[in-house]
Amino acid sequence: MILGYCRVSSTEQVHGTSLDNQADVIRAYAQMKGLSKFDISFYRDAGVSGSARLGFRPGGAKLLGVP
């Protein structure tokens, strides 16, 4: 199982290809390791600064299991 985390800091990037590109890299890594797309769980944050700690980002908190 791979837990994939994708993040962009600006809302303009949400409509670009940045999140999709990050997800593609994670999928390629999983495939290289012999896993399928069903072995990946994705967590995403858009419009969140990289300076915010992972547990304080909505997607990051879900990834970490923070209530």
Side-chain angles (χ1 to χ4, degrees):
M1 171 64 73
I2 291 181
L3 304 176
Y5 180 71
C6 305
R7 182 196 65 82
V8 292
S9 57
S10 72
T11 53
E12 291 81 26
Q13 292 173 317
V14 173
H15 301 293
T17 58
S18 187
L19 283 173
D20 291 336
N21 288 347
Q22 292 174 44
D24 288 344
V25 170
I26 294 167
R27 283 187 200 96
Y29 176 80
Q31 184 177 16
M32 185 177 68
K33 294 295 185 178
L35 301 170
S36 76
K37 65 181 181 180
F38 302 108
D39 295 316
I40 308 169
S41 293
F42 283 100
Y43 300 87
R44 298 173 185 238
D45 280 316
V48 177
S49 171
S51 66
R53 293 193 297 175
L54 188 61
F56 292 97
R57 304 173 192 174
K62 288 179 185 175
L63 170 69
L64 296 173
V66 176

